PDB file of all heavy atoms in Angstrom:
ATOM      1  N   ARG A  24      14.623 -44.209  42.497  1.00 96.00           N
ATOM      2  CA  ARG A  24      14.675 -45.528  43.115  1.00 96.00           C
ATOM      3  C   ARG A  24      14.437 -46.629  42.077  1.00 96.00           C
ATOM      4  O   ARG A  24      13.837 -46.394  41.016  1.00 96.00           O
ATOM      5  CB  ARG A  24      13.643 -45.638  44.239  1.00 96.00           C
ATOM      6  CG  ARG A  24      12.202 -45.481  43.800  1.00 96.00           C
ATOM      7  CD  ARG A  24      11.262 -45.553  45.008  1.00 96.00           C
ATOM      8  NE  ARG A  24       9.888 -45.281  44.642  1.00 96.00           N
ATOM      9  CZ  ARG A  24       9.042 -46.177  44.128  1.00 96.00           C
ATOM     10  NH1 ARG A  24       9.456 -47.412  43.913  1.00 96.00           N
ATOM     11  NH2 ARG A  24       7.792 -45.843  43.846  1.00 96.00           N
ATOM     12  N   GLU A  25      14.883 -47.805  42.384  1.00 95.00           N
ATOM     13  CA  GLU A  25      14.675 -48.948  41.502  1.00 95.00           C
ATOM     14  C   GLU A  25      13.189 -49.301  41.416  1.00 95.00           C
ATOM     15  O   GLU A  25      12.412 -49.030  42.338  1.00 95.00           O
ATOM     16  CB  GLU A  25      15.458 -50.158  42.006  1.00 95.00           C
ATOM     17  CG  GLU A  25      16.964 -50.051  41.854  1.00 95.00           C
ATOM     18  CD  GLU A  25      17.433 -50.120  40.408  1.00 95.00           C
ATOM     19  OE1 GLU A  25      16.619 -50.493  39.539  1.00 95.00           O
ATOM     20  OE2 GLU A  25      18.595 -49.777  40.161  1.00 95.00           O
ATOM     21  N   LEU A  26      12.824 -49.931  40.330  1.00 96.00           N
ATOM     22  CA  LEU A  26      11.445 -50.347  40.099  1.00 96.00           C
ATOM     23  C   LEU A  26      11.070 -51.457  41.083  1.00 96.00           C
ATOM     24  O   LEU A  26      11.740 -52.493  41.154  1.00 96.00           O
ATOM     25  CB  LEU A  26      11.317 -50.853  38.667  1.00 96.00           C
ATOM     26  CG  LEU A  26       9.921 -50.915  38.056  1.00 96.00           C
ATOM     27  CD1 LEU A  26       9.401 -49.505  37.809  1.00 96.00           C
ATOM     28  CD2 LEU A  26       9.966 -51.689  36.736  1.00 96.00           C
ATOM     29  N   GLY A  27      10.003 -51.246  41.867  1.00 96.00           N
ATOM     30  CA  GLY A  27       9.498 -52.275  42.757  1.00 96.00           C
ATOM     31  C   GLY A  27       8.445 -53.130  42.060  1.00 96.00           C
ATOM     32  O   GLY A  27       8.024 -52.849  40.935  1.00 96.00           O
ATOM     33  N   ALA A  28       7.979 -54.149  42.753  1.00 97.00           N
ATOM     34  CA  ALA A  28       7.017 -55.084  42.165  1.00 97.00           C
ATOM     35  C   ALA A  28       5.729 -54.397  41.742  1.00 97.00           C
ATOM     36  O   ALA A  28       5.094 -54.801  40.758  1.00 97.00           O
ATOM     37  CB  ALA A  28       6.724 -56.216  43.154  1.00 97.00           C
ATOM     38  N   ASN A  29       5.314 -53.351  42.472  1.00 97.00           N
ATOM     39  CA  ASN A  29       4.051 -52.668  42.186  1.00 97.00           C
ATOM     40  C   ASN A  29       4.233 -51.365  41.415  1.00 97.00           C
ATOM     41  O   ASN A  29       3.301 -50.580  41.289  1.00 97.00           O
ATOM     42  CB  ASN A  29       3.315 -52.373  43.494  1.00 97.00           C
ATOM     43  CG  ASN A  29       2.911 -53.640  44.217  1.00 97.00           C
ATOM     44  OD1 ASN A  29       2.284 -54.521  43.646  1.00 97.00           O
ATOM     45  ND2 ASN A  29       3.299 -53.748  45.482  1.00 97.00           N
ATOM     46  N   ASP A  30       5.429 -51.136  40.891  1.00 98.00           N
ATOM     47  CA  ASP A  30       5.741 -49.873  40.238  1.00 98.00           C
ATOM     48  C   ASP A  30       5.717 -49.969  38.720  1.00 98.00           C
ATOM     49  O   ASP A  30       5.812 -51.054  38.138  1.00 98.00           O
ATOM     50  CB  ASP A  30       7.135 -49.388  40.653  1.00 98.00           C
ATOM     51  CG  ASP A  30       7.230 -49.051  42.121  1.00 98.00           C
ATOM     52  OD1 ASP A  30       6.210 -48.630  42.694  1.00 98.00           O
ATOM     53  OD2 ASP A  30       8.330 -49.213  42.690  1.00 98.00           O
ATOM     54  N   VAL A  31       5.645 -48.792  38.101  1.00 98.00           N
ATOM     55  CA  VAL A  31       5.880 -48.667  36.664  1.00 98.00           C
ATOM     56  C   VAL A  31       6.918 -47.569  36.443  1.00 98.00           C
ATOM     57  O   VAL A  31       7.056 -46.649  37.249  1.00 98.00           O
ATOM     58  CB  VAL A  31       4.592 -48.334  35.873  1.00 98.00           C
ATOM     59  CG1 VAL A  31       3.556 -49.427  36.037  1.00 98.00           C
ATOM     60  CG2 VAL A  31       4.014 -46.981  36.280  1.00 98.00           C
ATOM     61  N   LEU A  32       7.650 -47.688  35.345  1.00 98.00           N
ATOM     62  CA  LEU A  32       8.584 -46.656  34.911  1.00 98.00           C
ATOM     63  C   LEU A  32       7.978 -45.972  33.700  1.00 98.00           C
ATOM     64  O   LEU A  32       7.567 -46.635  32.741  1.00 98.00           O
ATOM     65  CB  LEU A  32       9.939 -47.275  34.553  1.00 98.00           C
ATOM     66  CG  LEU A  32      10.994 -46.329  33.966  1.00 98.00           C
ATOM     67  CD1 LEU A  32      11.397 -45.260  34.978  1.00 98.00           C
ATOM     68  CD2 LEU A  32      12.218 -47.123  33.489  1.00 98.00           C
ATOM     69  N   ILE A  33       7.895 -44.653  33.755  1.00 98.00           N
ATOM     70  CA  ILE A  33       7.285 -43.873  32.687  1.00 98.00           C
ATOM     71  C   ILE A  33       8.331 -42.984  32.032  1.00 98.00           C
ATOM     72  O   ILE A  33       9.065 -42.263  32.713  1.00 98.00           O
ATOM     73  CB  ILE A  33       6.134 -43.003  33.225  1.00 98.00           C
ATOM     74  CG1 ILE A  33       5.039 -43.881  33.843  1.00 98.00           C
ATOM     75  CG2 ILE A  33       5.550 -42.118  32.131  1.00 98.00           C
ATOM     76  CD1 ILE A  33       3.943 -43.091  34.543  1.00 98.00           C
ATOM     77  N   ASP A  34       8.412 -43.064  30.714  1.00 98.00           N
ATOM     78  CA  ASP A  34       9.204 -42.130  29.922  1.00 98.00           C
ATOM     79  C   ASP A  34       8.338 -40.889  29.732  1.00 98.00           C
ATOM     80  O   ASP A  34       7.307 -40.936  29.067  1.00 98.00           O
ATOM     81  CB  ASP A  34       9.542 -42.775  28.576  1.00 98.00           C
ATOM     82  CG  ASP A  34      10.361 -41.870  27.671  1.00 98.00           C
ATOM     83  OD1 ASP A  34      10.783 -40.791  28.127  1.00 98.00           O
ATOM     84  OD2 ASP A  34      10.559 -42.240  26.495  1.00 98.00           O
ATOM     85  N   ILE A  35       8.720 -39.775  30.371  1.00 98.00           N
ATOM     86  CA  ILE A  35       7.885 -38.569  30.361  1.00 98.00           C
ATOM     87  C   ILE A  35       7.992 -37.870  29.012  1.00 98.00           C
ATOM     88  O   ILE A  35       9.091 -37.554  28.535  1.00 98.00           O
ATOM     89  CB  ILE A  35       8.288 -37.610  31.499  1.00 98.00           C
ATOM     90  CG1 ILE A  35       8.095 -38.305  32.858  1.00 98.00           C
ATOM     91  CG2 ILE A  35       7.464 -36.325  31.432  1.00 98.00           C
ATOM     92  CD1 ILE A  35       8.588 -37.479  34.042  1.00 98.00           C
TER      93      ILE A  35
END
Side-chain angles (χ1 to χ4, degrees):
R24 62 182 175 83
E25 289 290 347
L26 199 70
N29 296 308
D30 295 329
V31 299
L32 175 64
I33 299 173
D34 180 7
I35 299 175

